[in-house]
Each structure stands twice: as C-alpha cells, then as structure tokens.
Amino acid sequence: MKILISHEHNASHYIYTGIANAFGLRGDSCIFWNKESTPAFDAFDRFEPDLFIGQGYNLDRATIKCLNSRPDMKVLLKVGCWGPVCQDVDTEKYPILLNAAEEIRNVESINSKNLVLFNYVHPKRKDYLMSGWEETVAKTIGLLPAADPSVYFPEMEDESLKCDLSFVGGYWPYKGQNLDKYIIPLCYPIGKYNIKIFGNQAWPVSQYMGMIGDETVRRLFSSSLICPNVSEPHANIFGFEVNERVFKLASCKSFFISDQIASLTEDIFTENEAVVAQDPNSFHDLVEEALNNPEMRSSHASACYETVMKNHTYAHRVQQIMESFS
C-alpha cells in the first residue's frame, strides 16, 4: 500500500513520522508531501496513493480536486475541534484548534467513499472533541500519539549525558505558564540539581543546552534519573490531551513524573504505572523522593514500558487507522 502524508511541523511532524515508520515496518511505501514545494497534482499523480493522511484545515482547491478524482482512495484528515469542548474552552486563554466554517465546507466537499476524520485524543474522549463532525460530515476516530520503538528504546547510559533531570522541548509563552511552575523552580539555586534542557526554542535558564538529535535524545532519556513531563495548560484543565513525550519516555524505559492529565491516568496508565503530581508543589516533592529511591524509579519505568509496548506504539495506531476504514 502507498501512503501520502501532508507534512506539518512541530508535534505533528513527530507523530506523522512515527506513523510512517510503522507503515514502513509493515512493508508499505510512505512518503511526506510538502505542499509548499510540490503542487498537489504533481504529488498525487506521481505517487498515486492508496491512503492520504492530511488535515481538514489545510485543504485547498487543488488537493480537494485530487481527492475527488480518486473516490476509492482512503482519506484520513486531522480536523479542528467541533464538539462540546467548543463551548467549554475559552480559546483566548487556552488556544486549542477549533473548526472553522471554511474547514467544514472543504471537508464536506470531499466525495471519497472512505473518509475518516481524527484528532489527537483517546477514543473514549473523541466525541467531546469531534461529535459535530461525526453527526454531520463523516466517521471520526480518536488517535493518540504513541511510541516509536524503532527510534526510542532502552539505551546504555552515556556518561556525558548523565543527570538528575532532563527535559526536551521548546519554551514559548503559552507552555511557559506550566514550565514556569514545574521546571524553572528546579533550576534554582543553580547546582542544586544536575539538569539538562534541550529544545528548538531557547529557555530563560542557564541549563538550556540547545537542540538535540533523536539518537542523542534516546541516550539522554536513558541517562537521566528523572524525565519530567509537563503539558500545556488546557491538558490539565480539560484532561483530554496527552502529549507524545510520555510515550517516548516509556518506550525508553525511562522514569518520568508527569503533571496531571485526566486521560493519562484514566485511559492509558490505568493501573498506577505512572507517577503523576497533583500540582507543582507535589511535583517538586516527588522529584526529591524519586531521586533518593532507585527502586521507585525502576518499578514505575518498567510498568509504563510494559503498558506502552502492549497498547501504545505507532504499530497499534496504524492498525487502528486501517480498521477505521473497514
């Protein structure tokens, strides 16, 4: 099978890469399409995909024509939220992606016999985000991020990367609301903890060390005593968004402490595998406890690893995608 994926940056890039790698391990051919450099007609005519993975909010006339000229092709589109969440969330305070009238019109204009819509959410919570799409346009699925064991797996410790805590991720104002509460206080006084921070956007602390490649990320996770997980504020309040970081960490059998996300403990780590802090103060207390308790770190890391390998790799997500078209 041939799969064409419309590329996106930031978190989606890593999610689509994991999906592409999982398809590749099945023996499928999967390529990314950069619509900024390659016209839609060229991309579709050259590759003739059996499955197109794209975004409802990025559709344009040319892409819609390519889809409609191939009514038997499977089409999987990530869409903005259209469900009860739209009434609950103040998007000026919590800037999640909602549907737009143009997006609805564009998705409705697709005449594919095999159209499925998705968002990055556990299936149990997908109606909260997408019931409007399900009721009026097409079938929807909740498709969580996952682990890519071909890239993230337990690694030998690297002496040059050993540390008490490490974090990989950018710093920007919205996410900074939580990073300022959970991570930044651990950076002071300087030297209290050995902390290594990497990311594609600079942090306002001396522990920031720049960007880092996937292979080094894996070794960093395996060389850190604690890998904190911190979410964007809406994940704590509304409980539906679990980031990809927890799956990467679990796949490396690395110990993490997470901020509170309802879906994390109610839908994924349902047997107390994960260590989750209720607030920043308990987070900092748990850091101190875990640093002095290697048995705690080992048992939780192993339990999270087993859960993710059993249910939450990108191979599981690819299986879910294929089943959604049956």
Side-chain angles (χ1 to χ4, degrees):
M1 188 170 70
K2 296 189 290 184
I3 304 98
L4 179 67
I5 300 178
S6 177
H7 186 263
E8 282 191 297
H9 296 287
N10 300 322
S12 288
H13 164 75
Y14 298 100
I15 295 170
Y16 293 145
T17 298
I19 289 172
N21 288 342
F23 271 117
L25 290 173
R26 288 176 14 130
D28 299 314
S29 176
C30 193
I31 65 169
F32 286 105
W33 167 40
N34 184 345
K35 63 191 305 179
E36 296 176 2
S37 60
T38 305
F41 288 101
D42 288 349
F44 280 83
D45 289 346
R46 291 172 185 170
F47 193 58
E48 286 297 345
D50 303 296
L51 166 62
F52 173 69
I53 301 177
Q55 306 83 35
Y57 44 83
N58 284 336
L59 289 173
D60 54 25
R61 288 185 179 181
T63 305
I64 293 171
K65 286 182 179 179
C66 290
L67 299 179
N68 286 343
S69 68
R70 298 165 174 83
D72 293 322
M73 181 176 61
K74 296 177 176 64
V75 179
L76 179 69
L77 298 178
K78 182 176 181 290
V79 290
C81 298
W82 185 8
V85 68
C86 299
Q87 284 71 54
D88 293 346
V89 177
D90 178 354
T91 54
E92 291 189 4
K93 186 176 181 180
Y94 306 104
I96 68 170
L97 180 64
L98 303 184
N99 72 87
E102 181 181 8
E103 179 185 15
I104 294 173
R105 287 195 300 270
N106 285 339
V107 176
E108 286 179 329
S109 70
I110 296 172
N111 63 17
S112 171
K113 301 174 184 177
N114 300 290
L115 174 63
V116 176
L117 311 177
F118 79 99
N119 208 312
Y120 300 142
V121 66
H122 191 276
K124 291 180 181 178
R125 298 172 190 266
K126 63 105 173 172
D127 287 344
Y128 182 56
L129 271 67
M130 296 188 289
S131 59
W133 292 105
E134 181 89 34
E135 293 164 1
T136 61
V137 182
K139 179 179 180 179
T140 63
I141 60 171
L143 194 71
L144 278 171
D148 183 352
S150 70
V151 178
Y152 293 96
F153 49 83
E155 185 71 279
M156 295 292 293
E157 291 183 358
D158 185 323
E159 285 293 330
S160 67
L161 294 171
K162 278 188 176 181
C163 58
D164 296 326
L165 301 101
S166 71
F167 190 90
V168 179
Y171 182 101
W172 60 92
Y174 179 54
K175 189 164 187 177
Q177 293 177 39
N178 273 353
L179 296 175
D180 288 347
K181 298 174 185 177
Y182 287 88
I183 303 295
I184 298 298
L186 298 172
C187 296
Y188 300 100
I190 294 174
K192 179 180 180 181
Y193 301 118
N194 180 354
I195 299 177
K196 300 184 188 300
I197 297 175
F198 298 87
N200 58 4
Q201 291 169 297
W203 285 57
V205 292
S206 61
Q207 291 88 345
Y208 173 67
M209 304 178 72
M211 295 184 65
I212 188 172
D214 285 341
E215 182 178 342
T216 308
V217 169
R218 185 177 68 234
R219 289 188 284 114
L220 174 69
F221 289 163
S222 297
S223 304
S224 308
L225 298 184
I226 301 173
C227 299
N229 180 62
V230 178
S231 311
E232 293 184 336
H234 62 269
N236 308 134
I237 303 300
F238 301 100
F240 61 79
E241 184 170 290
V242 178
N243 58 35
E244 192 192 34
R245 182 183 297 104
V246 292
F247 299 106
K248 288 180 178 178
L249 292 170
S251 187
C252 291
K253 203 178 279 191
S254 300
F255 173 75
F256 65 85
I257 302 173
S258 180
D259 55 352
Q260 187 179 31
I261 316 156
S263 187
L264 183 69
T265 51
E266 295 173 10
D267 305 325
I268 300 167
F269 299 113
T270 60
E271 303 295 329
N272 296 316
E273 303 100 315
V275 175
V276 178
Q278 299 303 306
D279 55 44
N281 287 335
S282 64
F283 184 90
H284 300 145
D285 289 342
L286 285 167
V287 165
E288 194 65 32
E289 179 184 353
L291 285 175
N292 296 298
N293 192 334
E295 184 176 337
M296 170 187 175
R297 299 195 304 267
S298 177
S299 62
H300 282 284
S302 295
C304 289
Y305 176 82
E306 294 299 327
T307 293
V308 166
M309 291 301 103
K310 183 178 179 180
N311 296 309
H312 299 288
T313 70
Y314 280 112
H316 293 105
R317 302 297 181 257
V318 163
Q319 181 180 358
Q320 183 187 357
I321 290 170
M322 299 312 300
E323 289 175 352
S324 73
F325 291 105
S326 60

